[in-house]
Amino acid sequence: MRAVRADIVLADHAPTALLAARDLGLPRAVIGSPFNVPPAVAPTQNMRDWQAVPAERLADSDARVLKVINAVRSDTKPLAALHCIFEGAARFLSGIPELDPYGARPADDYLGMRAVSAGSAEPLWPEGEGRRVFAYLHAPYPHLERALLALALSGAMVLIPLLGGNPALMRKYESGRMRFAPQLLDFNKVVSACELCVCHGNVGTTLGMLQAGRPLLILPVHLEHFLLGRSVAQTGAGEFVHPDAAEPDIAGALTRMLADPQYRKAAEGLAARESATSVGTIANRAIARIEALAAQAKDHT
């Protein structure tokens, strides 16, 4: 930061960079998933709220981390709590307040439901009549075969990019109604053609689908996926399966979502509210905030 004479530090899930900027007196901002910026409470809240975690354990975990941080920063004022890492940092959070796993924060902190396509391949759907379901899955998912079987028996026309999937598994489930994509697809074309998305709850896919009014069935792999999936379900725009379920009812959830139009209506409602603010307006507001922070730094040098 000193070498490039930074005027401001914009960090995407980089708490060490935020601490360095703090110690240098630089303006700083966080950008990315709301999950990465927990509430300003001490001790850090139990994020797995379906499990009983003693308050003493939460406080002990925070104390251990703070001890390491403050030992490294021995020539500066010690942090009083973990959330102080983010103290004074502007926030540019992906999504909308309704999807924040920690609850709504000021509206200007959110960048909206925006997604950028990482792929470019043409989506080649199975031919024939039927509801189109896009399933973006990862091979390490512990209930992968249960998910593939549910999709195969759903009666839908299914297109699946399966990251890390082995050829034998794909041959087992591929059929006239279910096709595996060999590479990443043009996301915008996928969204425009599908009626429902099944995914693990990664932020880009989830927000992109909701932006277009497409409901989601979320099969979480990580805690962040679960919390986002639960938020989506609370809006009525989807369902999720619990990550601790030994035998999650993926087929039941998929059947409900294909049969009930209320999921699509809820997703379209979110999309309609979101579309009231243009991408350009959100981007211009964010740029103006960043430039103002940088200008303040120059005024104090």
Side-chain angles (χ1 to χ4, degrees):
M1 296 175 190
R2 290 192 181 104
V4 300
R5 302 178 66 183
D7 294 314
I8 183 172
V9 174
L10 187 62
D12 181 0
H13 192 35
T16 303
L18 289 175
L19 282 171
R22 175 191 176 105
D23 291 348
L24 291 173
L26 291 172
R28 52 207 177 276
V30 291
I31 186 169
S33 170
F35 175 79
N36 298 333
V37 188
V41 296
T44 303
Q45 70 183 56
N46 174 22
M47 297 180 186
R48 292 177 170 83
D49 54 16
W50 67 92
Q51 297 178 345
V53 179
E56 295 79 8
R57 179 179 171 187
L58 296 172
D60 181 68
S61 296
D62 276 18
R64 288 169 180 266
V65 178
L66 279 171
K67 183 178 180 179
V68 173
I69 291 173
N70 288 328
V72 174
R73 302 171 63 252
S74 57
D75 58 341
T76 59
K77 182 179 179 181
L79 289 185
L82 281 183
H83 65 76
C84 293
I85 293 172
F86 306 97
E87 188 177 49
R91 288 156 168 74
F92 300 94
L93 306 176
S94 305
I96 55 178
E98 294 95 321
L99 300 178
D100 193 322
Y102 307 124
R105 299 180 237 200
D108 286 347
D109 285 354
Y110 297 93
L111 297 174
M113 298 190 296
R114 311 297 172 198
V116 177
S117 180
S120 58
E122 188 75 18
L124 300 176
W125 292 88
E127 296 180 1
E129 297 296 322
R131 309 281 297 282
R132 286 184 169 181
V133 174
F134 177 68
Y136 184 26
L137 303 175
H138 293 195
Y141 178 55
H143 306 294
L144 177 62
E145 287 220 46
R146 180 180 290 266
L148 292 176
L149 181 59
L151 289 163
L153 298 177
S154 68
M157 312 302 285
V158 185
L159 182 60
I160 309 176
L162 178 56
L163 298 191
N166 68 70
L169 181 66
M170 291 187 280
R171 284 195 300 269
K172 177 180 177 180
Y173 287 98
E174 193 155 33
S175 70
R177 304 187 71 87
M178 195 153 93
R179 178 175 291 174
F180 290 88
Q183 54 191 312
L184 291 179
L185 305 173
D186 185 310
F187 187 72
N188 293 327
K189 291 182 178 179
V190 167
V191 172
S192 65
C194 78
E195 298 179 59
L196 169 67
C197 176
V198 179
C199 68
H200 297 303
N202 48 312
V203 173
T205 301
T206 302
L207 296 183
M209 287 290 169
L210 290 175
Q211 181 188 7
R214 303 299 190 266
L216 297 110
L217 171 56
I218 293 179
L219 315 177
V221 175
H222 306 301
L223 176 62
E224 181 179 4
H225 297 158
F226 166 75
L227 295 176
L228 180 55
R230 185 168 66 177
S231 296
V232 170
Q234 289 169 348
T235 71
E239 287 200 26
F240 68 99
V241 300
H242 201 285
D244 287 353
E247 298 181 351
D249 187 13
I250 298 172
L254 185 58
T255 298
R256 287 191 296 274
M257 293 195 66
L258 288 170
D260 190 345
Q262 293 304 316
Y263 295 99
R264 177 70 178 257
K265 290 180 180 178
E268 289 175 341
L270 282 178
R273 294 197 296 275
E274 168 71 4
S275 66
T277 305
S278 70
V279 175
T281 299
I282 293 173
N284 288 337
R285 286 176 182 170
I287 292 168
R289 288 178 64 196
I290 293 171
E291 289 179 339
L293 287 169
Q296 290 175 13
K298 290 181 178 179
D299 290 342
H300 288 87
T301 56

